[in-house]
Amino acid sequence: MKFIPVKGTRDFYPEAMRMRNWIADAWRSASLRNGFEEYDSPIFEYLDLFTAKSGDEIASQLFNLTDRGGRNLAIRPEITPSLARMVNAKINALPRPIKWFSIPRLCRAERPQKGRLREFFQWNVDIIGPQDELADAECVLTAVDAMRELGLTSNDVQVCYSSRELLSEVLESLGVKGQSSADVMAVLDKRNKLPAEKFEAMLSDAVGDKTAMAGILKFLDTGAIDPDASPAEIAASAGIAPSENATAAIAKLQAFGGYLKAFGIADWCRYDTGIVRGLAYYTGIVYEVMDVGETLRAIAGGGRYDNLLEVLGGPAVAASGFGMGDVVLGILLEEKQLIGDLAQGVELFVIDGSADMFSDVINVVGRLRSVGAAAEFSYKRQNIGKQLKQADRRGACKAVILEPDGVVMIKDLASGEQTACKLAEILSDPTTIL
RNA sequence: GUGGCUGUAGCUCAGUUGGUUAGAGCACCUGGUUGUGGUCCAGGGGGUCAGGGGUUCGAAUCCCCCCAGCCACCCCA
């Protein structure tokens, strides 16, 4: 073949398109149920918007271009900067909390691999305004709600959360700072992917100091957070110096856990100190949705990013949200055999009893479509058997067979039952056969 | 950017130690069973064996290059 799709992109033939729509419909309906409004932004932006958020190095991972006026542009690799830009522009006019969602098509100039393509769709759900962990919890609830709609259960996926704030505080109290802190976080992020020995060796290299190393390992072993204990007690049992920041971060984790429980999704969620979320802009609670076997990369990731609007030139306004891509989710749904039969048939298939009645067929089809019915017909004039076969293959519910002398047989294709009526009736009121 | 694996029909795959005109199933198209579907029967289209070069009397098969796909690393918003 001379022309092939670009590396890392997908063609959506009707079958794949049904799957994509099925997922997007679940995302959209869950969003609306949970009180979010849909927005969208341009598919390309000024390159600055992305480098301002993520640094100049990000440019090499973007598809960027220069327009004829010499402007540096980039295809959006994420929508959060655009969201921040849009919200900043109207921050004083928007009622809060701002609860918005989007399902953008995104592009990243990466080498494709399992669960990662160069073009994909990502559901984004954000709440801007509240500082309360209730917002973080409501985002998680929305994610769970969509996954539930798609047929997943808490036996399939878990929302693993931690506190970026607490982790920073722990590292700092152990004297791990600056580059070392960044290195340690990078290693922690791999914890669930590496064998224990290798992980500890890498961690040891990043930390350097033995006392600090022991402190980090003790912190990592923290189990579920007791909702009833005082933050100071929890800090003590996790070997964390009970600074003001540390106890505050622990209290936030407790509040977050309480909201998850109140929303009825506690069994979908668990505290996991191994969640770090890269070195991005997160400032508080962070989480990733993992498949229970942890064989796939994260299905979704998000958390609190209270500084982003300010970084992008706006006021200091708190924000929290997540992104869920269609690629890993699609793999998981397929593995769990949750996709089912997505074929969508027409309602009615209109058939001629003899070729000379074909003009009546297109007449009836036209009338049916004018009242909103999904009606189809065969382009070829052939016997009734072949036309019925075609009706069946199109997934039609009923066949409308036009016979001589104005007689019409309505055949239910599932039961095989037929009822008769008059062509004149159908033409005057097509809704009688719906 | 680095590394590993794999490329035969739209899909899943056969193809012997190199040997005539590269096959099957499914899918697709046509026709039949002479006016009621999910069957059945018959026929048909479709492949420069990813592409290029080499070895050989002869290459889908052996060697080299390249391209593409998959997978992992880096990175992961």
Side-chain angles (χ1 to χ4, degrees), chain A residues 5-78:
Chain A
V6 173
K7 180 195 290 287
T9 65
R10 292 168 288 177
D11 287 323
F12 292 91
Y13 286 84
E15 191 188 7
M17 195 68 209
R18 282 195 289 273
M19 161 108 167
R20 176 176 136 195
N21 283 337
W22 175 58
I23 290 172
D25 288 349
W27 284 346
R28 182 167 284 110
S29 58
S31 301
L32 297 172
R33 269 200 298 278
N34 287 269
F36 291 82
E37 296 182 278
E38 188 163 7
Y39 70 97
D40 201 356
S41 70
I43 201 159
F44 48 56
E45 294 270 6
Y46 287 107
L47 178 61
D48 299 1
L49 180 68
F50 304 117
T51 55
K53 185 201 144 208
S54 306
D56 290 339
E57 324 78 58
I58 196 74
S60 65
Q61 294 168 60
L62 267 46
F63 286 103
N64 47 40
L65 57 141
T66 308
D67 74 3
R68 289 200 269 182
R71 286 173 274 260
N72 292 319
L73 310 176
I75 300 176
R76 60 188 181 188
E78 57 170 331

Side-chain angles (χ1 to χ4, degrees), chain A residues 15-238:
Chain A
E15 191 188 7
M17 195 68 209
R18 282 195 289 273
M19 161 108 167
R20 176 176 136 195
N21 283 337
W22 175 58
I23 290 172
D25 288 349
W27 284 346
R28 182 167 284 110
S29 58
S31 301
L32 297 172
R33 269 200 298 278
N34 287 269
F36 291 82
E37 296 182 278
E38 188 163 7
Y39 70 97
D40 201 356
S41 70
I43 201 159
F44 48 56
E45 294 270 6
Y46 287 107
L47 178 61
D48 299 1
L49 180 68
F50 304 117
T51 55
K53 185 201 144 208
S54 306
D56 290 339
E57 324 78 58
I58 196 74
S60 65
Q61 294 168 60
L62 267 46
F63 286 103
N64 47 40
L65 57 141
T66 308
D67 74 3
R68 289 200 269 182
R71 286 173 274 260
N72 292 319
L73 310 176
I75 300 176
R76 60 188 181 188
E78 57 170 331
I79 203 173
T80 313
S82 305
L83 168 67
R85 177 177 64 69
M86 288 167 66
V87 169
N88 274 342
K90 297 198 174 188
I91 189 70
N92 292 323
L94 296 169
R96 300 193 199 174
I98 298 164
K99 292 175 60 178
W100 287 4
F101 80 97
S102 191
I103 304 177
R105 182 191 288 259
L106 306 177
C107 294
R108 297 175 184 175
E110 303 184 283
R111 179 164 294 197
Q113 55 188 289
K114 188 172 187 182
R116 259 176 102 178
L117 300 173
R118 291 184 356 172
E119 184 192 50
F120 55 96
F121 294 86
Q122 188 186 67
W123 179 36
N124 279 78
V125 171
D126 294 275
I127 301 182
I128 297 171
Q131 286 184 300
D132 198 313
E133 284 65 48
L134 177 57
D136 308 74
E138 194 180 17
C139 288
V140 170
L141 170 63
T142 306
V144 168
D145 195 20
M147 293 190 290
R148 228 169 5 202
E149 179 170 336
L150 290 168
L152 292 166
T153 71
S154 57
N155 293 322
D156 301 317
V157 296
Q158 283 282 298
V159 181
C160 302
Y161 65 91
S162 69
S163 165
R164 194 58 179 275
E165 205 178 6
L166 180 60
L167 176 59
S168 301
E169 188 62 24
V170 167
L171 293 181
E172 198 167 321
S173 74
L174 292 168
V176 180
K177 294 173 185 169
Q179 185 56 45
S180 179
S181 168
D183 291 347
V184 169
M185 288 201 193
V187 176
L188 293 184
D189 201 35
K190 298 187 199 307
R191 186 191 184 197
N192 295 335
K193 285 181 75 175
L194 292 173
E197 277 179 27
K198 180 130 196 215
F199 168 73
E200 289 188 21
M202 286 177 70
L203 187 61
S204 175
D205 285 347
V207 178
D209 179 78
K210 277 189 179 170
T211 316
M213 174 79 180
I216 292 170
L217 289 176
K218 177 146 171 78
F219 167 68
L220 290 179
D221 274 342
T222 312
I225 292 184
D226 185 344
D228 300 318
S230 75
E233 285 168 347
I234 292 171
S237 71

